[in-house]
Amino acid sequence: MVGNFSGLRHHASLATGQLLGPGEKIFIVDDDPSIREPLKIFLEDQGLSVGDFSNAEELLQAMDKGGVALVLLDIGLPDIDGRSLLPQIHEKYPDVAVIMLTGVADLKVALDCIREGADDYLSKPVQFSEILIVVKKTLEKRRLIFENRKYHEDLEKAHFRIHVLHQLSVKMNHAYLSTVELDEILQAVLVGITANEGLRFNRAFLAMFDDDNRYLEGRLAIGPDCRDDAGKIWAEMQDKSLSFLQIVNEFRSSCNGADSEVNRIIKELRIPADDIDNILIKAARERRSIRVSRDNGSLPVPLERRSQESLLGESIWPEAVERRYDAASGAIQVPHQLMELLNEDTFVIVPLFSPSRPFGVIIADNFVTRQPISDNHIGSLELFASQASLAIEHSHLYRDQQLKIEELESLNEELDKNKDLLIEADRYSALGQMAAQLVHSIRNPITSIGGSARILNRKYATEEQKKFLEVISTETDRLEKILDDLCDYTEQQDEKSREPVVLYGLLRKTMMLVQQDMQKQQIRWELECDDQELKVVVNPKQIRQIFLHLFKNAVEAMPEGGFLKVVVSKTSDWVIVSVSDTGIGMSEDYIEKAADPFFTTKTYGTGMGLTMVEKVLENHGGFSEIKKSASGGLDVVVYLPVSLLHNS
């Protein structure tokens, strides 16, 4: 072998070092130091990291430590034949390239070496420049093999992700999602994020806003519970050759045991939704992914920065790093509690949301492997997050639909129960009040007629006339008795028909009777009651009639839409129900006459509605007020005495 250094030392621009991975070396194994040592110097001058050995034993000891990329192996070693050593190297270190060196140019030997795993074969003597060319080609070939392998792995991962997303889509398209089914899909998403065939994150946590949108609460988590169990779960999954759905089922049965730590972590996560400075709330509200990392070099600058203290008023990072996370650098602070809870300083937060509302976040990290989180990882994670968001939105739509169905069923039930009440509410109230007015109006003339007949009978009548006057007196007495009995019956009936009722439920059910009209006229409504279990002892039919009348009046006053608000409150003396609308209102003159019998501003109706309201309230010991509201409509305030409260 002849060394040729002239004209080659300056070729550092060949970038041969790029063919080796971090920490990788080329090993020269030859018992002749006159060949081994100059070749090592030459290759190092080309930017390659080189180690040299004189026998096979030294080589194998060095290879056990790792970091070898290529071996220049002489066939004639003092302790073992190179051809015998070659299969051992190929079997134990399949990713190590081998170039055989021999002093005998034998085609059969060369072919045998190639068959047994050698990448190339060189016969001595050979120029160093020729060796360099072969080394570069072999390393390039090795690099291409690795890239091809990685490419196929990426294809398999992409195929797995597509398969997962497809299966999730199929499930969502074939059935509405109940809470149980939603949890299954969300757990499947977390499996896809953490599975070895998936995104390979070590841990994944899911937190969602509660139904009242007051707290962000932990819901599900997947991941090995400590660094000592690194790769244990994934190895089991691979050994069993489980499919995606089998992996999901496996996790469903095992995550409460092996992953008890991540379940403890997620159960402790509870953040007020109004804590807008918290990084999790910020990610959810602003609908953007945030990568948290101790290493600034791997942390892209987020879109918006804000310096803030942690919830405990303590620094998030050690002082040396904290200076890079201040207002000047524009980084987002991370709550100290979150860092302690996760026991991790590098993770990514991805939001879950629909066009109309945020749902929560997914937190993923590499707690075990400590691998950096790249932009590609975040992009893939966002795909799974979008699928989780679709599942959550689908579930919410299903739940909303169920509530609407229950509401419609309740409305139909109320309509069936009260169809006569709807049809006859106005007519019944008008006739009842007209009857009351007629009792008072008829009693006076009847009393006068009866009194006059008795006077005539005593003073002026003949015997013949007295017979007729006695008939008049008798019949007027009978009419007065009928009127008295009618008044007594009405009052007694009102007292007997009183019973304890939940005021909030009575108002809500009554509101549902006019809901169809409100929907047609695009009227929004709200029923506000601090104590929804408040009970009053009343005649429920009469009380429903008065509020049905008030609600219908409010709806009729808003033909172009508006807002109807009903507020229930309580003082030391009264239970107060305020009915407010944003309708066309009423002049002060009309307000003063509104409760007068037969007064109306409508082209139809009897004008007895508010008179009926006053009469019913009077029977219950209450009263009402009518006034203009700030919105221009009317406020009708109903007062019921606290003596009607039912103490259960």
Side-chain angles (χ1 to χ4, degrees), residues 206-244:
L206 183 140
M208 291 178 60
F209 290 107
D210 61 13
D211 291 338
D212 297 328
N213 206 36
R214 296 177 60 188
Y215 291 95
L216 181 71
E217 299 177 329
R219 182 157 178 171
L220 295 171
I222 285 181
D225 62 350
C226 66
R227 288 191 173 100
D228 294 338
D229 290 335
K232 177 181 177 182
I233 294 178
W234 308 129
E236 291 178 358
M237 296 297 102
Q238 284 183 319
D239 292 342
K240 296 176 182 178
S241 300
L242 300 180
S243 68
F244 168 68

Side-chain angles (χ1 to χ4, degrees), residues 312-585:
L312 295 177
E314 302 173 359
S315 297
I316 306 306
W317 310 104
E319 183 178 352
V321 184
E322 175 66 16
R323 285 194 288 267
R324 292 187 289 182
Y325 283 79
D326 56 16
S329 65
I332 298 174
Q333 292 278 10
V334 184
H336 193 60
Q337 294 97 323
L338 180 61
M339 304 287 292
E340 290 184 343
L341 185 62
L342 296 178
N343 193 23
E344 180 63 29
D345 55 29
T346 300
F347 52 90
V348 62
I349 306 165
V350 176
L352 304 172
F353 60 91
S354 72
S356 60
R357 53 188 166 180
F359 297 135
V361 295
I362 289 176
I363 308 167
D365 64 27
N366 289 325
F367 177 79
V368 176
T369 64
R370 316 297 291 162
Q371 292 295 316
I373 300 173
S374 68
D375 290 344
N376 288 336
H377 290 139
I378 296 175
S380 299
L381 183 57
E382 287 172 342
L383 285 177
F384 278 85
S386 65
Q387 200 69 20
S389 298
L390 286 174
I392 296 170
E393 176 71 0
H394 203 166
S395 178
H396 282 190
L397 291 174
Y398 171 70
R399 186 177 61 184
D400 292 345
Q401 184 183 35
Q402 290 297 106
L403 290 175
K404 290 292 184 184
I405 291 174
E406 291 175 5
E407 191 174 283
L408 286 173
E409 289 176 347
S410 178
L411 176 59
N412 286 333
E413 184 178 346
E414 287 300 312
L415 288 174
D416 288 340
K417 289 181 180 178
N418 301 285
K419 56 185 177 181
D420 293 334
L421 177 64
L422 279 173
I423 296 171
E424 300 179 5
D426 287 340
R427 185 185 306 168
Y428 177 82
S429 61
L431 290 175
Q433 294 305 311
M434 288 175 67
Q437 293 293 323
L438 287 173
V439 167
H440 292 287
S441 299
I442 294 173
R443 175 175 286 164
N444 291 334
I446 287 178
T447 302
S448 299
I449 294 171
S452 300
R454 284 188 287 271
I455 292 172
L456 290 173
N457 188 27
R458 288 196 305 267
K459 293 184 178 182
Y460 307 107
T462 64
E463 290 300 324
E464 187 67 25
Q465 291 171 336
K466 285 182 179 182
K467 294 179 181 179
F468 294 103
L469 290 172
E470 287 176 359
V471 172
I472 295 174
S473 298
T474 302
E475 293 302 319
T476 53
D477 288 341
R478 191 165 68 88
L479 287 173
E480 287 179 349
K481 183 64 170 65
I482 291 173
L483 292 175
D484 290 337
D485 291 343
L486 179 60
C487 289
D488 292 340
Y489 173 79
T490 304
E491 292 175 0
Q492 292 171 5
Q493 189 69 15
D494 176 61
E495 292 296 327
K496 291 179 181 179
S497 58
R498 291 187 183 186
E499 61 184 70
V501 295
V502 178
L503 186 57
Y504 174 82
L506 182 145
L507 292 172
R508 184 172 182 83
K509 290 181 179 179
T510 306
M511 183 75 76
M512 292 174 66
L513 297 176
V514 295
Q515 188 170 9
Q516 188 173 4
D517 291 332
M518 288 194 292
Q519 289 177 346
K520 288 180 181 178
Q521 296 170 210
Q522 296 182 339
I523 296 173
R524 296 177 296 110
W525 65 277
E526 178 182 331
L527 176 55
E528 185 179 306
C529 181
D530 292 335
D531 184 3
Q532 296 186 4
E533 302 301 323
L534 182 71
K535 288 185 178 181
V536 289
V537 181
V538 295
N539 182 315
K541 185 173 182 180
Q542 291 182 351
I543 295 299
R544 292 191 71 176
Q545 280 182 334
I546 70 170
F547 284 112
L548 177 60
H549 175 78
L550 296 179
F551 295 162
K552 290 179 70 176
N553 274 359
V555 171
E556 290 169 1
M558 296 182 286
E560 303 300 325
F563 182 59
L564 173 59
K565 184 173 184 179
V566 181
V567 180
V568 181
S569 58
K570 187 177 69 170
T571 67
S572 59
D573 299 319
W574 302 99
V575 175
I576 304 170
V577 182
S578 174
V579 180
S580 304
D581 65 65
T582 58
I584 56 178

Side-chain angles (χ1 to χ4, degrees), residues 89-142:
I89 295 175
H90 183 67
E91 180 179 356
K92 191 173 182 180
Y93 310 102
D95 290 334
V96 175
V98 179
I99 299 175
M100 300 300 296
L101 300 175
T102 179
V104 180
D106 188 326
L107 180 60
K108 182 179 182 303
V109 172
L111 291 175
D112 288 343
C113 289
I114 298 297
R115 291 189 190 100
E116 291 170 358
D119 292 271
D120 213 329
Y121 181 92
L122 292 174
S123 299
K124 304 174 185 177
V126 59
Q127 296 290 330
F128 285 176
S129 58
E130 294 179 17
I131 294 177
L132 177 62
I133 291 172
V134 173
V135 166
K136 289 177 61 177
K137 287 182 177 179
T138 302
L139 291 176
E140 179 67 22
K141 172 186 173 184
R142 178 175 179 266

